Amino acid sequence: MSNFKVKMAYDGSSYHGFQRQDNALTVQEVVEEAIKKLFLQDITIFGCSRTDTGVHANEYYFSFHCNDKIQINSRGIVFGLNSKLPDDIAILSCEEVDESFHARYNCIGKEYKYIIHNSEIKDPFLRTRVYKYWYPIDERLLNKAAKHFVGTHDFRSFCTNADEKENTVRTIHRFDVERYGDKIIMIVSGNGFLYNMVRIMVGTLLFVNEGKIDESDIPEIIEKKDRKFAGRTAGASGLYLNKVYY
Amino acid sequence: MSNFKVKMAYDGSSYHGFQRQDNALTVQEVVEEAIKKLFLQDITIFGCSRTDTGVHANEYYFSFHCNDKIQINSRGIVFGLNSKLPDDIAILSCEEVDESFHARYNCIGKEYKYIIHNSEIKDPFLRTRVYKYWYPIDERLLNKAAKHFVGTHDFRSFCTNADEKENTVRTIHRFDVERYGDKIIMIVSGNGFLYNMVRIMVGTLLFVNEGKIDESDIPEIIEKKDRKFAGRTAGASGLYLNKVYY
């Protein structure tokens, strides 16, 4: 058996996330169909992460096994799959890896980027690619507030539908907020992320911006371990899986 | 009568150009429908330029008259129209102008930007926003070749379906080709442009890149005043109306 690790990027605007679903179009389904056309067999791919509907990926990895009779090398997989995929999904590179490699289980960390278009006027080229936010943003305040998330904490307050028995402790390595013109760029990296965790942390920062939550209250919100004390879930359109670490 | 000059931007991917057509969706039709919803009357807008199907605008002007009974100021027009337009068309600003102003007739020059994504691998975020070109581009050679277009020439060789009696003399002020990573950016400005002129000039430069036309032959191609000697018409997806001068 050969095992391949594939790097891709996708514009998630048209997809209900990565993970295959029965009644909605997902990235996994489209990629598996392209693989079937190339390899002439059904192959299941293992993604590094679920992503929500409308979330994008600048860097996403999946792995898959195929039997050694397939005479196609890594470069052939890149060009072959790209030719069979729609233009909003791109295969960036591919390498053969040890048979035990699994894109999800071997992942040791991830970095997300969140882009806010902070403007009164919309940008027709960014519509599904940013989170549009009209009200002026104080990026210094939010950058200060974001630092409360850095470290190892129980992030139960920042998770949608956390199961009682679920381990909700995660380590955030970095959370930076910077302004570039009318864009606010947030970079968050950590060893793992709960369901909607980045979007709820961003939504909480926006509550800080709106004066609904005080910056210094974030440690207490973390302590409460209850979703209802955190801010809203910010829109999916601004979120990009940006880097994946192995 | 009041006369308004409106600046907008649009992603042209979904439109058959600016100018209203009977059987295809155009930017003009969509904007006039939004105006009708806001002003509750049929108003014809005058665009600064036709644009081809799939061509984009970072800056585009139109003007329109309405009677003085309309109680809506420039800021109201910007926010009102944006709320009624789809997300791929944005009104950027609006000002009241002299009654004689006409967005097309008063225009004294334009600048176009052409973006080539020069890469083996596609970018899922740029699909309808660039012209994808696989083969390596020698941007220095093309920049040198582009300079032959600068000046006042009869550009009949660089026009689709030029009428015999049509005046095809235009002045090009600037034609620069630069590389930014895997993007090749071309900036062309002039006092006016013939049908498909920018795209045929770009296609001619790509013929130079491919060795099908020698850089030094461009003055002779201009002299021939015959479309068949120029290069192909480069794709619409890379073309942006970038600035409009009054």
Side-chain angles (χ1 to χ4, degrees), chain B residues 89-100:
Chain B
I89 302 177
I91 304 297
L92 304 179
S93 64
C94 174
E95 55 176 322
E96 203 169 342
V97 287
D98 186 86
E99 204 171 313
S100 68

Side-chain angles (χ1 to χ4, degrees), chain B residues 37-230:
Chain B
K37 285 182 198 159
L38 192 67
F39 290 83
L40 302 174
Q41 60 183 269
D42 286 308
I43 289 177
T44 298
I45 64 173
F46 304 103
C48 63
S49 173
R50 295 171 180 228
T51 59
D52 295 344
T53 296
V55 169
H56 314 290
N58 290 324
E59 182 173 302
Y60 188 102
Y61 288 91
F62 65 84
S63 59
F64 68 91
H65 288 92
C66 69
N67 69 49
D68 287 325
K69 281 182 286 182
I70 303 290
Q71 294 296 322
I72 181 165
N73 63 14
S74 294
R75 190 174 158 88
I77 291 174
V78 172
F79 287 89
L81 287 182
N82 274 330
S83 74
K84 295 184 188 314
L85 282 167
D87 280 347
D88 53 5
I89 302 177
I91 304 297
L92 304 179
S93 64
C94 174
E95 55 176 322
E96 203 169 342
V97 287
D98 186 86
E99 204 171 313
S100 68
F101 178 84
H102 186 289
R104 177 136 62 116
Y105 303 141
N106 288 57
C107 171
I108 58 166
K110 285 175 207 151
E111 178 183 286
Y112 283 93
K113 183 191 272 193
Y114 196 91
I115 308 178
I116 297 174
H117 184 213
N118 187 212
S119 168
E120 283 191 334
I121 302 289
K122 62 188 171 181
D123 181 326
F125 298 101
L126 296 179
R127 52 216 153 101
T128 59
R129 312 274 178 82
V130 293
Y131 180 62
K132 180 91 181 61
Y133 187 86
W134 195 90
Y135 191 77
I137 287 180
D138 178 350
E139 68 276 9
R140 288 189 186 183
L141 174 65
L142 299 203
N143 189 47
K144 188 180 170 196
K147 297 302 181 277
H148 293 299
F149 294 119
V150 176
T152 301
H153 306 286
D154 187 333
F155 282 97
R156 187 165 291 268
S157 297
F158 301 88
C159 179
T160 300
N161 298 330
D163 188 84
E164 252 186 56
K165 292 174 190 162
E166 190 178 347
N167 176 4
T168 46
V169 175
R170 295 291 185 277
T171 300
I172 296 294
H173 302 306
R174 173 187 174 194
F175 199 147
D176 294 327
V177 181
E178 284 191 59
R179 175 180 290 277
Y180 297 87
D182 61 6
K183 310 288 182 310
I184 303 290
I185 309 280
M186 301 186 182
I187 299 283
V188 198
S189 70
N191 67 347
F193 293 87
L194 305 168
Y195 183 41
N196 280 345
M197 181 170 153
V198 177
R199 292 169 59 189
I200 300 171
M201 291 193 294
V202 171
T204 301
L205 293 181
L206 293 176
F207 265 29
V208 170
N209 192 61
E210 293 155 20
K212 292 170 182 160
I213 287 177
D214 195 86
E215 168 266 318
S216 63
D217 290 342
I218 290 178
E220 202 182 315
I221 294 169
I222 295 174
E223 278 306 307
K224 298 245 186 178
K225 299 184 183 102
D226 186 338
R227 170 71 187 86
K228 75 168 181 275
F229 293 100

